[in-house]
Amino acid sequence: MERFVLSVLVENHAGVLSRVSGLFSRRGYNIDSLTVGETFNPTQSRMTIVVSGDEYILEQIEKQLSKLVEVISIRHCAAAETVVREMALIKVSASGASRIGVIETANIFRARIVDVAVDSVVVEVTGSEDKVASLIRLLEPFGIKELVRTGLTAMGRGSGVLE
């Protein structure tokens, strides 16, 4: 199964997220990742949806989404034409000598320490899914207390606009 990233521009009002996610559940399609945020135009929001399947499933999802009145545009984000990023906050056990190891590991990934407590630190990392996953794997031996990932967000490269 292939993974597809869709950028969906929608009207920004109550119930749109529910209608879009309901469309997926009614059809039996799983959403691997979903991020939503208001655009520079406050009347519109951008949904970045990651789905797994084949070309047929992608085509069906795009057809069904285009039927929703609130959907303004849908764009399949080809990897070569799109900047795709994810952000994660990782709370790691870090007391005494282990704190230095956690900080050094975070620095290797150009991650930031955004909170420090007596027995833990919170690391913020932004990058590709692989980068985030690699940092998580390297922090696991220290003891991950809590983990939050945003899901993917995408933007067209160069002068291209995902409209």
Side-chain angles (χ1 to χ4, degrees), residues 17 20-25 28-35 48-52:
L17 177 59
V20 170
S21 62
L23 179 148
F24 279 81
S25 65
Y29 300 135
N30 189 45
I31 297 173
D32 296 335
S33 172
L34 172 65
T35 58
T48 304
I49 305 171
V50 180
V51 296
S52 295

Coordinates of all heavy atoms in Angstrom, one line a residue, residues 17 20-25 28-35 48-52:
L17 N -15.0 19.5 9.6 CA -14.1 18.4 10.0 C -14.9 17.2 10.2 O -14.5 16.1 9.7 CB -13.3 18.8 11.2 CG -12.4 17.7 11.8 CD1 -11.4 17.3 10.7 CD2 -11.7 18.1 13.0
V20 N -15.9 15.7 6.8 CA -14.8 15.1 6.0 C -14.5 13.8 6.7 O -14.3 12.8 6.0 CB -13.6 16.1 6.0 CG1 -12.4 15.3 5.4 CG2 -14.0 17.3 5.1
S21 N -14.3 13.8 8.0 CA -13.9 12.5 8.7 C -15.0 11.5 8.6 O -14.7 10.3 8.4 CB -13.5 12.7 10.1 OG -14.6 13.3 10.9
G22 N -16.3 11.9 8.6 CA -17.4 11.0 8.4 C -17.4 10.3 7.1 O -17.7 9.2 6.9
L23 N -17.0 11.1 6.0 CA -16.9 10.6 4.7 C -15.9 9.4 4.7 O -16.2 8.3 4.1 CB -16.5 11.7 3.7 CG -16.3 11.3 2.3 CD1 -16.6 12.5 1.4 CD2 -14.8 10.9 2.0
F24 N -14.8 9.5 5.3 CA -13.8 8.5 5.4 C -14.3 7.3 6.1 O -14.2 6.1 5.6 CB -12.5 9.0 6.0 CG -11.6 9.8 5.1 CD1 -11.9 11.1 4.8 CD2 -10.5 9.1 4.5 CE1 -11.1 11.8 4.0 CE2 -9.7 9.9 3.6 CZ -10.0 11.2 3.4
S25 N -14.9 7.5 7.3 CA -15.4 6.3 8.0 C -16.5 5.6 7.4 O -16.6 4.3 7.4 CB -15.8 6.8 9.5 OG -16.9 7.6 9.4
G28 N -15.1 3.3 4.8 CA -14.1 2.3 5.3 C -12.7 2.7 5.1 O -11.8 1.8 5.1
Y29 N -12.4 3.9 4.8 CA -11.0 4.4 4.6 C -10.5 4.9 5.9 O -11.1 5.6 6.6 CB -10.9 5.5 3.5 CG -11.5 5.1 2.2 CD1 -12.3 5.9 1.5 CD2 -11.1 3.9 1.6 CE1 -12.8 5.6 0.2 CE2 -11.6 3.5 0.3 CZ -12.5 4.4 -0.3 OH -12.9 4.0 -1.6
N30 N -9.2 4.6 6.2 CA -8.5 5.0 7.4 C -7.7 6.3 7.1 O -7.1 6.4 6.0 CB -7.6 3.9 7.9 CG -7.1 4.3 9.3 OD1 -7.8 4.8 10.2 ND2 -5.8 4.1 9.5
I31 N -7.8 7.2 8.0 CA -6.9 8.4 7.9 C -5.7 8.1 8.8 O -5.8 7.9 10.0 CB -7.7 9.7 8.5 CG1 -8.9 10.0 7.6 CG2 -6.7 10.8 8.5 CD1 -9.8 11.1 8.2
D32 N -4.5 8.1 8.1 CA -3.2 7.9 8.8 C -2.8 9.1 9.6 O -2.3 9.0 10.7 CB -2.1 7.5 7.9 CG -2.4 6.2 7.2 OD1 -3.1 5.4 7.7 OD2 -1.8 6.0 6.0
S33 N -3.1 10.3 9.1 CA -2.7 11.5 9.8 C -3.7 12.6 9.2 O -4.0 12.6 8.1 CB -1.3 11.9 9.4 OG -0.9 13.2 9.8
L34 N -4.0 13.6 10.1 CA -4.9 14.7 9.8 C -4.5 15.9 10.6 O -4.4 15.9 11.8 CB -6.4 14.3 10.1 CG -7.4 15.4 10.0 CD1 -7.5 15.8 8.5 CD2 -8.7 14.9 10.5
T35 N -4.2 17.0 9.9 CA -3.9 18.2 10.5 C -4.8 19.3 9.9 O -5.1 19.2 8.7 CB -2.5 18.7 10.4 OG1 -2.1 18.8 9.1 CG2 -1.5 17.8 11.1
T48 N -4.5 18.7 5.9 CA -3.5 17.9 5.3 C -3.9 16.5 5.8 O -3.9 16.2 7.0 CB -2.1 18.3 5.7 OG1 -1.9 19.6 5.4 CG2 -1.1 17.4 5.0
I49 N -4.3 15.6 4.8 CA -4.8 14.3 5.1 C -3.8 13.3 4.5 O -3.5 13.3 3.3 CB -6.2 14.1 4.5 CG1 -7.1 15.2 5.0 CG2 -6.7 12.7 4.9 CD1 -8.5 15.2 4.4
V50 N -3.3 12.3 5.3 CA -2.5 11.2 4.8 C -3.3 10.0 4.9 O -3.9 9.6 5.9 CB -1.2 11.1 5.7 CG1 -0.4 10.0 5.2 CG2 -0.4 12.4 5.8
V51 N -3.4 9.3 3.7 CA -4.1 8.0 3.6 C -3.3 7.0 2.9 O -2.3 7.3 2.2 CB -5.4 8.2 2.7 CG1 -6.4 9.2 3.4 CG2 -5.1 8.7 1.4
S52 N -3.6 5.7 3.2 CA -2.9 4.6 2.6 C -3.8 3.9 1.7 O -5.0 3.8 1.9 CB -2.4 3.6 3.7 OG -1.4 4.2 4.5

